[in-house]
Amino acid sequence: MYAGEIPIPVSRLKGVGPQTAKVLSNLDILTVGDLLSWWPRDWEDRTVSTPLSRFAERKKIHTIARVASHDWFGAGRMKTLKLIIEDDEGTLAELICFNRPFLEKQFPVDSRVSVYGSFRIAYGSIQSSAFEIDLDSQLSRKVFPVYPLTASLTQIQMRKIISSALDSYAKGIDSELPQEVRSAHGIPAKHEILHMMHRPHRVEEATTAKEALIFEELYLFELAIGRHSLKRRGRLPAIDISDQSTEREMLDSDAQSNPLLPLQQRLAERLPFSLTDDQVNCILEINADITGETPMARLLQGDVGSGKTLVSFMAALAVIEQGGQVALLAPTELLARQHAEGAATLLEVLGVRLAYLTGNVRASGRKELLTRLASGEIDVIVGTHALFSQKVQYKNLRLAIIDEQHRFGVRQRAAIQEKGMEGGNGIPHLLMMSATPIPRTLALSVFGDLDVSTIRSLPGGRKPIITHLARKGNEGKVYDFVRTQLAAGRQAYFVYPLIDPSEEGSLKAATVMFTSLAKDIFPDYSCKLIHSRIPEDEQRLIMSAFREGKVHVLVATSVVEVGVDVPNATCMVIEHAERFGLSALHQMRGRVGRGSEQSFCFLIYDDKLTEEGKARIKVMHETTDGFAIAEKDLHIRGPGEMTGIRQSGYAGFTLADPVRDYDILVKARKAAFDYLEKYS
Ligand code: ADP
Ligand code: MG
């Protein structure tokens, strides 16, 4: 039987009355199985004695010492006992026994004691008032598990309860790992692991057991991914998704013999530039999926400005060749509008019938649009999440493209796939795009079942963006520099963390700075303000004026973070840069450097930086490589905080952390896939 399957309620255990059972149920511990899988969050090592002189090395230390003397301080009811202890090195420490006068009798002078607690220096002595004390004995020299608890339960109680469960039930518990996997990876039997976790003889034993459990957890996770993939498309995903070199080589040689599809060819011929090799490879990978048997589920990743939009238009054409419909979903109205305009320029001339739908499209036009969509008179519909609301019916949705996928939650992605199935045409192909490169370490776990196409290199002829840091107070120099760029016919973005001034007023706000930039700093140029509270129609006019070069300076909030594409803009000035996350900074910097001119990014930061803020600015200064930045971001913030990861069901592990445990993850993935290969 597996631990999770033991149906015996905790109340059957010795020492667990109805009261305790209730407390345990608050922790979701209902059965003996739950209890045995309630893992210690740490272990206290009381097998070794740490000299008192080294008290600062750990939060709590265990030390064996002699009671040197007793002392009292305070008077009356406040009278408090002090035990003075001395360790083998002769270091003295004071144990302040608040409300524990009885310790005087229990630990007479010269008795040897085992003390576990946190120490600090107070009034010139090493002192502790939060400690556990016992007479030193074989029994007290143990490794104690430390459990996550609620207020109404003590460690001692929990240890007792779990220990009793261990004695009565551990023996019959089986490992969830197949025997052959266990022997290959040196994983102990489950009942041994349970003992090693809850009652280890040494801390190393607990560490080994914990690693075995992490392996088990990741193995089961990868097994599920493998099974799902086998079911969906009849094969396993690659072991290491970054290592698709064999597939890549094959496609490279195919590229000449297996050209683009006819409509794609026509689009390529009309472009003022040629597709990069990476773009061509991605298109061919996508074509193989779309003309194949199973629905595509592919992540197209490529740094900001690498030309993903064009690849997605090519994917749309592959589906249109087959008579299917395409929905292109963007996270903001601004970006949806830009895609619609891009599609109008590039696709309409090929005879593609296009529509644009957001929450704001007015009622009358909307109705007609929906009718045409339902009858199949529209090939491509571009919009925001309104595309997948109840009222919208497709005739034959065959491809959903999701731009900036990390902006959408899992539920929205599922809704999209269901939408396609409503028509009875099966699951539509799914192409997700991300300019926040998924660090390799996360890719394996979070997107374990997706195929990945990567655009590694930016289109030729681009110069790397030059990034300058400026301390608050030196803005003047930055403004002067921007003025020389404007004079040369270029354009600039200024980004602020707030729309309106905050109450404490220490941050610059877009509205206020707009006035000052427009009136005092760049009076000779046309400046416009854009943020999320400006009506959509107006935003659209401002954006097209900026795109056409009629507006020179765009003052904005982070609305310009995603997607906006204006190649003549060469300056990005971000004030209070310390306020933005790394991926936002990288995205915003990616708004420039899109044309052939040299571009610049200025990060203006406040002196009062947090360590994290400092680390982010440093990374931005050092590199423009989105993959490197994502990897750094992960290390600064930890995986739980990565954009979009939180909603993606990532946090489903109890002990494992796919980033920290990357090496184990790779082993577990291989073990799981090998097993599936052999037996299914
Ligand atoms: P992102 O990958 O960030 O979504 P876009 O798709 O917005 O990037 O493309 C950025 C810019 O690069 C656009 O102006 C686009 O027209 C241009 N572009 C795309 N492919 C190429 C190419 N092969 N050569 C030159 N410019 C390209
Ligand atoms: Mg884009």
Side-chain angles (χ1 to χ4, degrees):
M1 197 182 278
Y2 300 146
E5 295 174 341
I6 301 181
I8 301 157
V10 284
S11 54
R12 287 272 198 92
L13 291 169
K14 256 196 311 227
V16 180
Q19 188 56 37
T20 312
K22 187 146 174 282
V23 174
L24 288 172
S25 77
N26 288 339
L27 295 170
D28 280 332
I29 302 175
L30 303 175
T31 66
V32 170
D34 299 337
L35 200 53
L36 288 174
S37 313
W38 191 255
W39 308 122
R41 60 174 162 77
D42 201 1
W43 292 268
E44 293 170 8
D45 190 351
R46 301 195 200 169
T47 61
V48 287
S49 172
T50 305
L52 287 164
S53 58
R54 282 163 46 198
F55 74 91
E57 283 172 18
R58 308 190 68 199
K59 224 165 105 198
K60 288 184 174 185
I61 59 161
H62 172 250
T63 197
I64 292 169
R66 180 184 70 90
V67 177
S69 59
H70 293 168
D71 196 3
W72 295 87
F73 66 98
R77 285 176 53 215
M78 301 296 288
K79 201 164 166 228
T80 299
L81 171 70
K82 245 201 284 193
L83 291 176
I84 319 291
I85 56 169
E86 178 182 15
D87 70 10
D88 294 344
E89 288 182 346
T91 313
L92 295 175
E94 300 178 352
L95 305 178
I96 314 293
C97 311
F98 290 115
N99 303 317
R100 292 197 272 182
F102 49 85
L103 294 184
E104 184 189 25
K105 295 260 150 40
Q106 244 171 301
F107 303 104
V109 172
D110 272 343
S111 53
R112 278 189 80 74
V113 289
S114 145
V115 179
Y116 182 78
S118 56
F119 289 83
R120 64 192 148 73
I121 298 276
Y123 306 106
S125 327
I126 303 176
Q127 240 187 33
S128 178
S129 50
F131 60 90
E132 290 172 37
I133 184 166
D134 212 340
L135 287 172
D136 177 40
S137 70
Q138 246 353 80
L139 259 180
S140 68
R141 296 196 185 186
K142 278 202 301 202
V143 176
F144 290 90
V146 182
Y147 295 101
L149 293 177
T150 62
S152 38
L153 208 61
T154 66
Q155 288 295 349
I156 295 176
Q157 274 176 298
M158 196 64 163
R159 282 173 198 151
K160 268 200 190 129
I161 298 168
I162 292 187
S163 207
S164 128
L166 205 56
D167 289 336
S168 320
Y169 298 100
K171 198 126 197 96
I173 296 179
D174 297 320
S175 176
E176 273 140 275
L177 298 175
Q179 177 61 48
E180 64 177 275
V181 173
R182 268 181 38 213
S183 359
H185 293 271
I187 307 285
K190 195 56 171 268
H191 64 90
E192 282 175 48
I193 294 183
L194 291 170
H195 276 96
M196 290 159 79
M197 287 294 279
H198 294 299
R199 256 183 350 216
H201 299 288
R202 289 178 308 117
V203 170
E204 295 76 46
E205 214 177 81
T207 315
T208 308
K210 189 170 165 186
E211 269 179 22
L213 287 168
I214 289 172
F215 179 89
E216 179 184 291
E217 199 163 59
L218 293 169
Y219 175 92
L220 295 174
F221 177 76
E222 293 295 342
L223 196 71
I225 284 182
R227 288 218 172 97
H228 183 239
S229 181
L230 279 175
K231 195 168 135 210
R232 189 168 66 76
R233 54 185 172 180
R235 66 175 170 83
L236 290 165
I239 294 283
D240 180 347
I241 63 165
S242 66
D243 182 24
Q244 295 179 323
S245 48
T246 46
E247 203 176 329
R248 192 40 74 85
E249 276 159 28
M250 198 184 75
L251 282 164
D252 278 344
S253 60
D254 276 4
Q256 292 85 23
S257 57
N258 180 13
L260 302 178
L261 302 169
L263 273 176
Q264 293 175 334
Q265 198 70 52
R266 282 176 56 203
L267 172 54
E269 281 159 13
R270 298 183 49 89
L271 294 172
F273 45 73
S274 49
L275 294 166
T276 64
D277 290 350
D278 282 348
Q279 282 174 318
V280 173
N281 280 322
C282 290
I283 295 166
L284 294 180
E285 284 170 359
I286 291 167
N287 284 355
D289 283 352
I290 289 179
T291 52
E293 306 270 284
T294 40
M296 167 168 77
R298 192 170 277 280
L299 178 71
L300 174 60
Q301 61 171 349
D303 213 340
V304 210
S306 58
K308 294 183 292 293
T309 316
L310 192 54
V311 173
S312 74
F313 286 177
M314 290 291 191
L317 290 175
V319 162
I320 294 167
E321 295 255 13
Q322 302 178 342
Q325 287 177 307
V326 180
L328 169 52
L329 175 68
T332 62
E333 305 242 339
L334 206 66
L335 188 52
R337 172 73 65 177
Q338 180 179 287
H339 284 327
E341 284 166 7
T345 321
L346 295 174
L347 302 181
E348 262 178 354
V349 283
L350 304 176
V352 172
R353 295 162 301 175
L354 204 67
Y356 172 65
L357 179 73
T358 70
N360 286 349
V361 172
R362 276 177 212 81
S364 58
R366 189 184 188 91
K367 197 158 167 228
E368 191 218 316
L369 189 156
L370 291 181
T371 321
R372 283 168 47 221
L373 189 65
S375 65
E377 286 163 57
I378 288 171
D379 304 309
V380 176
I381 184 155
V382 182
T384 56
H385 53 270
L387 292 186
F388 299 98
S389 62
Q390 285 280 308
K391 297 232 175 67
V392 182
Q393 301 278 315
Y394 294 82
K395 172 126 190 283
N396 181 20
L397 178 63
R398 297 310 306 133
L399 169 65
I401 300 168
I402 307 182
D403 196 12
E404 308 291 345
Q405 61 84 26
H406 59 280
R407 292 294 191 102
F408 297 93
V410 245
R411 233 183 266 139
Q412 277 165 307
R413 282 180 225 155
I416 292 161
Q417 292 203 314
E418 275 162 31
K419 209 55 182 176
M421 283 147 70
E422 279 173 9
N425 293 303
I427 304 174
H429 299 292
L430 185 62
L431 181 65
M432 308 209 267
M433 299 198 276
S434 178
T436 309
I438 314 295
R440 214 170 80 95
T441 35
L442 277 184
L444 272 184
S445 47
V446 180
F447 296 102
D449 182 38
L450 289 180
D451 292 303
V452 180
S453 293
T454 306
I455 309 184
R456 277 163 228 278
S457 49
L458 298 179
R462 298 230 184 118
K463 300 191 178 74
I465 303 163
I466 296 175
T467 301
H468 290 294
L469 306 186
R471 201 173 285 228
K472 199 174 147 200
N474 297 337
E475 297 90 334
K477 286 190 195 140
V478 175
Y479 301 161
D480 289 345
F481 183 90
V482 172
R483 200 174 294 110
T484 63
Q485 286 285 301
L486 296 173
R490 309 278 97 78
Q491 292 160 277
Y493 299 94
F494 281 79
V495 178
Y496 296 90
L498 298 173
I499 301 180
D500 295 313
S502 64
E503 277 181 9
E504 3 105 63
S506 60
L507 290 181
K508 292 188 186 177
T511 48
V512 178
M513 284 308 292
F514 168 68
T515 316
S516 140
L517 289 167
K519 277 211 185 116
D520 308 329
I521 299 169
F522 305 117
D524 302 333
Y525 296 96
S526 155
C527 302
K528 285 280 178 201
L529 174 66
I530 195 161
H531 55 69
S532 57
R533 287 209 320 264
I534 290 181
E536 201 218 338
D537 285 349
E538 209 172 307
Q539 285 192 29
R540 184 170 49 90
L541 292 177
I542 295 169
M543 276 320 292
S544 19
F546 189 62
R547 193 162 300 126
E548 288 159 20
K550 290 181 197 145
V551 167
H552 306 110
V553 174
L554 195 63
V555 181
T557 56
S558 58
V559 286
V560 296
E561 179 184 330
V562 290
V564 175
D565 181 37
V566 180
N568 189 49
T570 57
C571 293
M572 168 57 73
V573 181
I574 305 173
E575 301 215 36
H576 293 294
E578 75 280 357
R579 288 280 164 155
F580 295 94
L582 252 187
S583 96
L585 288 171
H586 178 61
Q587 293 289 319
M588 293 191 288
R589 179 167 61 184
R591 295 312 115 215
V592 298
R594 297 181 154 244
S596 50
E597 299 297 330
Q598 178 63 55
S599 286
F600 305 88
C601 174
F602 297 91
L603 303 175
I604 300 175
Y605 62 94
D606 203 314
D607 269 346
K608 292 176 236 111
L609 276 180
T610 62
E611 281 305 310
E612 257 194 62
K614 208 178 281 172
R616 291 196 295 256
I617 306 252
K618 185 158 170 274
V619 171
M620 287 297 290
H621 191 224
E622 282 167 1
T623 180
T624 51
D625 175 354
F627 284 87
I629 290 175
E631 203 77 52
K632 288 270 185 340
D633 197 17
L634 184 62
H635 284 108
I636 297 175
R637 286 196 292 162
E641 292 296 318
M642 286 285 289
T643 339
I645 303 302
R646 230 175 337 192
Q647 311 104 287
S648 63
Y650 172 75
F653 300 109
T654 11
L655 291 173
D657 169 344
V659 176
R660 183 196 59 202
D661 305 323
Y662 183 68
D663 295 341
I664 306 181
L665 174 66
V666 172
K667 277 188 215 138
R669 183 167 171 102
K670 182 161 177 354
F673 289 3
D674 285 351
Y675 190 84
L676 285 173
E677 196 107 273
K678 200 158 154 198
Y679 295 105
S680 56

